[in-house]
């Protein structure tokens, strides 16, 4: 089933929306077409690219009740020459299937996820905004579709890909509160999977932090709240005494970010020492007291590199002069240059469309 072309149901010309580059926002505007396929009797079938439109679901649809839903986030870019490329989608494909297995859902084949995505993006090239930070956001997802209220793995599923233009995600530097009560992920849990429930569960602690004047929380380990894990929906990196330190993914509570992995590789090539290991809140505070804590930033597909201007642990406040950052802006530039085709893609991370 390789390189199988997915049939396209053409939208009548009069119904086609035109992309307005001056008027769109991330997550709100979607392209004309979407991809849809169903898993029935143990196989993926009815794959089609068709008009973006509402779904009709039975109210007892399993995904609406018990959270058997997973997703991915990927970006396609257009450079100044008009060339279109998707950044490392093979890594998202692997992770999607890891998420599927953890949630007792069927894996998706490459012809559906990879070839389907390429075909859809090729069809919607016009919707990729110009500019360094701009992209076409690609959202593959899968939901359990059995109309049945019993708690068991669904026997049917729907896989879809939708696309929407995206500008800069977070523009202002973030203020972050180190979380000391709530948790995002537990050992043995589903923190390494991109399943819907993880994000629903994070909204309440984040809203409490927002009431105190912060933008997001820095998640800590579920057992003692001693070790740092992630910042919001991003991986987190610290610069201390010139070294870059990022939490290890070994406990299964830190999502294996594609941006995180790319950043580690690029930073090492740029000459930085990068450590992947457990990092204690106490170590961070000690480094700050000694004047050795230089930078902290988030990394992820949505925001690429997000600067942090304030990090608080209870009453202890650590401030960062965003204009004096070195590593985070250098990494951001390297990633953007790579994605825009300004530097040689020696790792073959770009899939050209
Ligand atoms: C998606 C996500 C990330 C970032 O992963 P990327 O592959 O870099 O986009 C980090 N943490 C969480 C919890 C996420 O959901």
């Amino acid at each position: 089933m390789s390189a199988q072309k997915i049939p396209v149901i053409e939208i009548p010309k009069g119904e086609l929306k035109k992309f307005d580059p001056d008027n769109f926002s991330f997550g709100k505007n979607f392209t004309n077409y979407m991809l849809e396929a169903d898993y029935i009797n143990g196989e993926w079938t009815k794959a089609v690219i068709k008009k973006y439109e509402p779904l009709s679901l039975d109210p007892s649809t399993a995904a609406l009740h018990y959270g058997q839903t997973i997703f991915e986030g990927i970006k396609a870019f257009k450079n100044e020459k008009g060339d279109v490329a998707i950044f490392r989608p093979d890594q998202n494909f692997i992770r999607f299937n890891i998420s599927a297995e953890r949630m007792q859902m069927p894996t998706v084949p490459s012809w559906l996820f990879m070839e389907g995505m390429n075909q859809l993006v090729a069809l919607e090239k016009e919707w990729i905004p110009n500019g360094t930070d701009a992209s076409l956001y690609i959202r593959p997802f899968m939901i359990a579709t059995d109309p049945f209220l019993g708690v068991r793995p669904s026997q049917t599923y729907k896989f879809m890909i939708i696309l929407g233009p995206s500008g800069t995600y977070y523009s202002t530097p973030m203020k972050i509160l180190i979380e000391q009560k709530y948790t995002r992920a537990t050992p043995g849990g589903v923190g390494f999977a991109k399943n819907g429930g993880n994000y629903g569960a994070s909204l309440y602690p984040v809203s409490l932090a927002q009431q105190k004047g912060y933008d997001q929380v820095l998640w800590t380990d579920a057992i003692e709240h001693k070790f740092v894990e992630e910042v919001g929906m991003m991986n987190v990196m610290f610069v201390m005494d010139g070294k870059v330190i990022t939490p290890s993914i070994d406990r299964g509570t830190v999502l294996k970010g594609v941006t995180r992995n790319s950043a580690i590789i690029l930073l090492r090539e740029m000459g930085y020492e990068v450590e992947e290991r457990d990092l204690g809140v106490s170590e961070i505070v000690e480094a700050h007291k000694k004047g050795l804590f230089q930078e902290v930033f988030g990394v992820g597909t949505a925001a690429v590199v997000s600067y942090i201007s304030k990090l608080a642990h209870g009453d202890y406040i650590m401030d960062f002069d965003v204009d004096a950052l070195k590593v985070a802006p250098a990494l951001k530039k390297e990633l953007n240059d790579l994605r825009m085709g300004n530097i040689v893609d020696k790792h073959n991370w770009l899939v050209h469309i």
Side-chain angles (χ1 to χ4, degrees):
M1 284 256 225
S2 67
Q4 173 172 331
K5 270 261 179 201
I6 295 173
V8 178
I9 302 176
E10 293 233 8
I11 304 171
K13 271 236 154 50
E15 289 176 37
L16 281 175
K17 293 174 289 177
K18 210 170 152 33
F19 173 48
D20 179 357
D22 299 319
N23 191 15
F24 69 89
S25 57
F26 170 77
K28 270 195 179 165
N29 299 90
F30 299 96
T31 64
N32 286 299
Y33 287 93
M34 65 180 190
L35 180 149
E36 186 176 344
D38 289 306
Y39 186 82
I40 303 167
N41 294 329
E43 64 175 3
W44 286 104
T45 166
K46 299 201 279 188
V48 66
I49 290 174
K50 63 177 200 180
K51 184 178 180 178
Y52 182 102
E53 61 187 2
L55 299 173
S56 172
L57 295 173
D58 192 286
S60 70
T61 296
L64 302 178
H65 300 273
Y66 307 124
Q68 251 195 319
T69 87
I70 58 170
F71 67 94
E72 269 303 327
I74 308 169
K75 279 178 170 178
F77 302 89
K78 188 189 280 171
N79 70 15
E80 282 157 13
K81 286 182 266 167
D83 304 328
V84 172
I86 308 179
F87 188 72
R88 303 192 76 181
D90 53 317
Q91 298 299 305
N92 301 85
F93 173 53
I94 293 168
R95 189 170 67 195
F96 191 76
N97 281 337
I98 290 172
S99 297
E101 274 178 25
R102 179 61 182 84
M103 298 308 292
Q104 193 62 27
M105 299 167 94
T107 56
V108 293
S110 175
W111 67 261
L112 185 56
F113 189 107
M114 297 294 282
E115 311 297 329
M117 173 174 54
N118 293 355
Q119 210 184 316
L120 185 63
V121 171
L123 192 64
E124 298 285 35
K125 274 181 183 179
E126 310 278 284
W127 286 77
I128 311 182
N130 293 313
T132 303
D133 272 334
S135 61
L136 185 66
Y137 185 79
I138 305 168
R139 167 55 60 90
F141 64 101
M142 193 202 307
I143 59 173
T145 49
D146 277 4
F148 178 58
L149 288 185
V151 181
R152 59 143 168 81
S154 181
Q155 280 155 17
T156 60
Y157 295 86
K158 191 178 282 298
F159 171 74
M160 303 186 71
I161 305 178
I162 56 176
L163 311 174
S166 166
T168 309
Y169 194 73
Y170 292 118
S171 43
T172 48
M174 298 187 298
K175 301 188 187 74
I176 302 293
L177 182 64
I178 300 180
E179 182 58 59
Q180 298 186 73
K181 177 173 179 188
Y182 297 97
T183 56
R184 193 196 76 86
T186 55
V190 295
F192 63 88
K194 263 181 130 71
N195 88 290
N198 285 347
Y199 304 87
S202 75
L203 300 176
Y204 181 65
V206 171
S207 84
L208 293 180
Q210 285 169 348
Q211 283 166 28
K212 293 180 190 158
Y214 295 91
D215 300 301
Q216 260 295 352
V217 301
L218 179 64
W219 301 105
T220 49
D221 74 275
I223 297 162
E224 299 173 290
H225 296 284
K226 259 189 176 167
F227 298 101
V228 298
E229 296 196 329
E230 299 200 59
V231 61
M233 285 176 63
M234 287 178 283
N235 293 113
V236 64
M237 302 202 153
F238 295 79
V239 184
M240 299 200 294
D241 200 11
K243 263 190 283 190
V244 181
I245 304 165
T246 192
S248 153
I249 53 174
D250 297 345
R251 294 168 187 243
T253 52
V254 172
L255 192 111
K256 199 175 165 190
V258 180
T259 318
R260 175 188 180 278
N261 174 262
S262 310
I264 292 170
I265 294 169
L266 293 177
L267 286 167
R268 285 184 178 145
E269 286 173 2
M270 290 156 73
Y272 291 102
E273 198 176 319
V274 184
E275 294 178 355
E276 293 179 74
R277 62 170 172 87
D278 289 342
L279 176 61
V281 175
S282 59
E283 183 182 341
I284 292 170
V285 170
E286 279 318 302
H288 183 261
K289 285 182 176 159
K290 288 188 194 140
L292 298 175
F293 184 4
Q294 293 140 337
E295 296 182 32
V296 51
F297 52 92
V299 293
T301 296
V304 193
V305 177
S306 268
Y307 302 161
I308 294 172
S309 59
K310 186 197 274 281
L311 182 63
H313 186 237
D315 296 333
Y316 190 76
I317 310 284
M318 295 165 267
D319 284 308
F320 300 87
D321 176 4
V322 172
D323 295 326
L325 300 179
K326 289 199 174 73
V327 181
L331 173 64
K332 188 173 194 163
K333 182 170 187 313
E334 191 77 5
L335 270 167
N336 276 334
D337 280 348
L338 210 154
R339 304 189 310 176
M340 298 306 285
N342 297 338
I343 54 176
V344 179
D345 173 26
K346 63 179 173 193
H347 300 288
N348 282 318
W349 282 347
L350 299 180
V351 171
H352 297 275
I353 299 298

